[in-house]
Amino acid sequence: MTVAEPYRIKSVEPLPVPTRAEREAAIGRAGHNTFLLRSDEIYIDLLTDSGTSAMSDRQWAAMMCGDEAYSGSRSFYRLQEAVGEVYGFRHVVPAHQGRGAEHILSQIAIKPGQYVPGNMYFTTTRAHQELAGGIFADVVIDEAHDARARHPFKGNVDVAKLAALIEREGAQNIAYVNVAVTVNMAGGQPVSMANLREVRELCTRHGILLWCDATRCVENAYFIQQREEGYADRTVASILREMMACFDGCTMSGKKDALVNIGGFLAMNDETLLQRASELVVLFEGMPSYGGMAGRDMEAMAQGVREMVDDAYIAHRVHQVHHLGERLRRAGVPIVEPIGGHAVFIDAARFLPHLDQEQFPAQALAAALYLDSGVRSMERGIVSAGRDPKTSKNRRPRLELVRLTVPRRVYTDSHLDVVADSVQRLHERRHSIGGLRMTYEPPTLRFFTARFEPAGQAPA
């Protein structure tokens, strides 16, 4: 069945189409790191869905009503009202984006040496937890680390693993449990409602805070609607409220689900947590009534929060991702299955089996894709995983992935067909793609600014 866009296009932005020679020069200047490419060197940009969505006419109109008061902005109260209506949390602390909220949460909730269990790591989340002295513990189910496993809820917490950690370390040594919905590093995989209830019960029994990374919670709600028994006739909006009721609070990057270009927030019900977060937001972000966001951006986010739970919108959004994924799967390209909600993840380890993981196969494949067609993607593997702080050795995740991230309301299926054609061409000549060596490595979050050079192929 054809799923058409539930919107019509009012304005267009011309796209650059760089030549092969221009692409060769660009990827060389960027040190084979797609993050370091200029946007005017890119044809189709699938680097991220963060801040790259197209805003609606109502969001643009709302920006004209922004109240830029330094304190007590009415735009803040509109955002607070929208968050209360859609998520169900009473209190909101704005931040400039999601990692600002992660930083504040880590500072107020983690004591050095405490564990922070989560359903697989996310790069910035773990970095903030570790900077605060926390120790990340992965308690996701084993299927999440297997690109070929077809579990419908690969983001689920392994409750037995979590219970064993609490038993071994003691509840007092658990800062909080952090559950991402969906799990980005596993391929955009959702968490079931039944699993959330189990984790909530365990945390309540031990007096442990349960926190949510709600960055792509609408996609998670949609997958519950589509895959979990008893939810087929429910609206995405009602499922989202039920999900959020399991948590003590959430961190949110509004640059994803909320359809805006900047902004994020912490949300919670507890007034003690609110007070502590409000004290730190003044130091790191801004006043509690803007927290690093302009009034116009809070207005756009408030409108986006309401638009994001429209059932027709989210069904089409996920359809686009699946359109790309199915084209690749049918062509024999190894991808993470089931296909997630925000991106298609190519399994670079299976795509380039002749390369050792220390030759950065996902990074090499992302660079090769740009060189072939001007399509920008990103690495999610050994480079993103970083180094173990105790041993200084590369962490070697089981998943070595290239992420093709689909911005919301931006590209058509025809654009995604161009991407699929390019990936298929590369797959046909995959053994000609060589590995990379790192020539510059920053101390943290190296995938953003690291630089590489060709290292040749590993022996077959």
Side-chain angles (χ1 to χ4, degrees):
M1 183 180 72
T2 300
V3 180
E5 291 81 358
Y7 53 83
R8 56 188 176 193
I9 298 166
K10 283 190 174 183
S11 63
V12 296
E13 176 188 356
L15 293 175
V17 187
T19 65
R20 173 78 184 200
E22 289 170 336
R23 298 196 298 271
E24 288 176 350
I27 199 67
R29 285 193 301 270
H32 295 264
N33 186 345
T34 53
F35 271 97
L36 300 180
L37 291 165
R38 293 167 54 112
S39 63
D40 56 9
E41 296 170 332
I42 295 156
Y43 175 31
I44 298 172
D45 199 348
L46 305 187
L47 182 78
T48 182
D49 60 334
S50 180
T52 58
S53 300
M55 292 203 302
S56 70
D57 53 353
R58 287 168 177 78
Q59 285 180 288
W60 284 109
M63 290 184 75
M64 299 303 295
C65 301
D67 177 9
E68 307 303 341
Y70 189 76
S71 181
S73 165
R74 64 176 175 271
S75 299
F76 165 73
Y77 294 105
R78 286 181 180 144
L79 176 59
Q80 186 179 58
E81 180 183 1
V83 171
E85 175 187 319
V86 175
Y87 293 82
F89 294 115
R90 292 194 300 272
H91 305 302
V92 178
V93 179
H96 73 283
Q97 60 184 75
R99 71 194 59 172
E102 291 171 347
H103 173 62
I104 292 170
L105 174 63
S106 298
Q107 292 297 313
I108 66 175
I110 298 173
K111 296 175 182 176
Q114 285 187 315
Y115 285 84
V116 190
N119 54 340
M120 200 176 282
Y121 81 98
F122 184 67
T123 51
T124 59
T125 312
R126 185 176 66 189
H128 285 301
Q129 291 168 350
E130 290 176 348
L131 286 170
I135 304 166
F136 170 76
D138 189 1
V139 293
V140 76
I141 60 173
D142 291 341
E143 290 89 339
H145 295 281
D146 182 354
R148 284 176 275 200
R150 295 191 60 84
H151 192 294
F153 293 101
K154 286 167 75 171
N156 278 359
V157 172
D158 186 320
V159 178
K161 286 183 187 177
L162 177 58
L165 178 69
I166 296 170
E167 178 69 22
R168 184 176 72 247
E169 303 298 336
Q172 73 279 6
N173 290 317
I174 308 295
Y176 58 92
V177 176
N178 192 70
V179 177
V181 289
T182 57
V183 181
N184 187 354
M185 303 299 283
Q189 301 299 319
V191 182
S192 72
M193 192 75 78
N195 186 248
L196 290 179
R197 290 200 199 97
E198 280 190 87
V199 177
R200 173 72 274 173
E201 191 278 330
L202 181 63
C203 289
T204 299
R205 193 181 340 139
H206 291 281
I208 298 170
L209 283 174
L210 178 57
W211 215 264
C212 178
D213 178 345
T215 294
R216 297 182 180 90
C217 58
V218 181
E219 293 165 13
N220 200 106
Y222 177 79
F223 283 127
I224 288 174
Q225 183 194 67
Q226 298 297 308
R227 299 177 183 176
E228 192 163 359
E229 186 177 355
Y231 288 92
D233 297 326
R234 293 273 301 276
T235 64
V236 166
S238 69
I239 295 169
L240 178 60
R241 280 294 294 265
E242 185 176 335
M243 286 169 52
M244 291 299 109
C246 294
F247 296 99
D248 295 298
C250 74
T251 55
M252 176 67 182
S253 171
K255 298 168 67 177
K256 284 84 167 178
D257 271 350
L259 300 161
V260 290
N261 306 125
I262 198 67
F265 58 79
L266 271 170
M268 72 285 287
N269 290 321
D270 185 86
E271 292 194 3
T272 301
L273 285 173
L274 170 67
Q275 183 63 38
R276 294 172 65 195
S278 297
E279 291 165 359
L280 277 192
V281 79
V282 173
L283 180 61
F284 292 115
E285 299 275 330
M287 289 292 290
S289 58
Y290 72 87
M293 294 178 68
R296 56 185 172 272
D297 295 320
M298 289 190 285
E299 293 280 0
M301 186 184 289
Q303 176 63 29
V305 162
R306 292 187 168 98
E307 291 181 12
M308 71 184 190
V309 289
D310 176 74
D311 283 87
Y313 152 72
I314 190 60
H316 175 264
R317 191 276 186 287
V318 175
H319 153 79
Q320 275 209 311
V321 177
H322 283 229
H323 171 81
L324 173 58
E326 283 299 321
R327 275 216 48 190
L328 296 181
R329 189 185 63 79
R330 289 195 300 269
V333 175
I335 62 172
V336 172
E337 298 185 68
I339 300 165
H342 73 288
V344 177
F345 289 73
I346 302 171
D347 186 344
R350 283 189 287 154
F351 197 110
L352 302 175
H354 57 286
L355 296 183
D356 183 82
Q357 195 171 22
E358 295 281 344
Q359 291 181 293
F360 311 118
Q363 192 75 42
L365 181 54
L369 178 61
Y370 171 75
L371 192 57
D372 182 77
S373 58
V375 172
R376 177 158 68 167
S377 59
M378 72 167 293
E379 182 268 2
R380 277 292 181 232
I382 191 171
V383 179
S384 292
R387 294 185 181 273
D388 186 303
K390 293 182 179 178
T391 67
S392 296
K393 292 183 178 180
N394 284 322
R395 295 184 176 109
R396 294 178 63 113
R398 286 177 58 189
L399 295 175
E400 180 73 15
L401 309 175
V402 171
R403 191 179 77 180
L404 303 168
T405 328
V406 181
R408 296 161 182 82
R409 306 190 296 204
V410 171
Y411 294 116
T412 67
D413 287 357
S414 294
H415 289 107
L416 301 182
D417 288 337
V418 170
V419 176
D421 289 344
S422 181
V423 173
Q424 288 174 232
R425 284 195 299 271
L426 290 174
H427 192 241
E428 290 166 2
R429 56 178 181 84
R430 55 193 177 275
H431 293 290
S432 68
I433 299 172
L436 299 172
R437 66 171 63 91
M438 195 179 298
T439 60
Y440 166 68
E441 180 177 0
T444 59
L445 299 176
R446 62 187 185 179
F447 62 95
F448 284 126
T449 57
R451 300 181 71 87
F452 305 84
E453 65 181 11
Q457 292 183 206

